[in-house]
Amino acid sequence: MQPTPLTARLYARLITATDLLPSMRTGSEAFPFTWLLGRDGARAYLRGGRADIDVVAPAFAAVASLDLRGELSRIPVPVTFLHGRLEQLRLHERSFTAAAPQGRLELLPYGNHMLNLVRAERFTPDLLRVLARAERPTSPGTTQHRLGP
């Protein structure tokens, strides 16, 4: 997704708001992360898979100032976008894939934005398959692959 300055600020405020939840300070239950990621995924996320707001807000503001499609159009090597079917940020995936001269879109039939935490045992082998496929030569234009269940 290409964030705008407004969506970048909203995302930073959302992260700030979750930091105010008592469960985030105590580490118990850690709602909403246990709901989104499951207990193990939330534990991994909170243990070190998450940046502080001091990093998130400026990073999103910087990304919002970029022309991601323009940058993608200048990458002369294959670019693969890997998303879970329930990824919340898939809004611009086709236009990003089309912007890359050798763009590929790989859709996994499971998972949300944090699928590497939620379904690590399934995601890792799928990621290795996608990486192996990305090393093979591709014809011009974009392709889309769906990995099986």
Side-chain angles (χ1 to χ4, degrees):
M1 180 171 119
Q2 171 66 59
T4 64
L6 174 63
T7 58
R9 284 191 305 276
L10 290 173
Y11 185 78
R13 287 186 182 143
L14 176 65
I15 294 296
T16 301
T18 62
D19 284 345
L20 298 176
L21 295 170
S23 62
M24 296 299 291
R25 290 193 302 270
T26 65
S28 66
E29 298 307 312
F31 184 82
F33 296 107
T34 52
W35 176 68
L36 287 169
L37 307 174
R39 192 171 306 281
D40 291 340
R43 204 173 3 257
Y45 179 71
L46 296 170
R47 189 176 58 234
R50 174 176 185 268
D52 291 331
I53 190 60
D54 295 342
V55 174
V56 172
F60 254 73
V63 171
S65 72
L66 300 174
D67 173 12
L68 297 178
R69 288 173 197 82
E71 296 296 327
L72 282 166
S73 72
R74 291 189 281 281
I75 299 175
V77 297
V79 175
T80 301
F81 295 90
L82 175 62
H83 294 151
R85 183 175 53 87
L86 302 174
E87 164 66 61
Q88 298 92 323
L89 303 178
R90 288 180 54 196
L91 185 61
H92 302 288
E93 69 184 6
R94 292 188 189 279
S95 67
F96 284 176
T97 303
Q102 297 178 59
R104 291 183 182 184
L105 174 59
E106 299 273 356
L107 291 177
L108 300 172
Y110 60 91
N112 59 20
H113 183 64
M114 301 287 212
L115 70 97
N116 58 319
L117 291 175
V118 176
R119 302 290 302 272
E121 75 290 341
R122 190 169 177 190
F123 174 73
T124 301
D126 283 341
L127 176 61
L128 293 173
R129 280 192 286 281
V130 168
L131 291 171
R133 186 180 298 137
E135 291 178 352
R136 291 185 227 138
T138 175
S139 58
T142 63
T143 59
Q144 178 176 336
H145 292 84
R146 291 185 188 272
L147 295 178

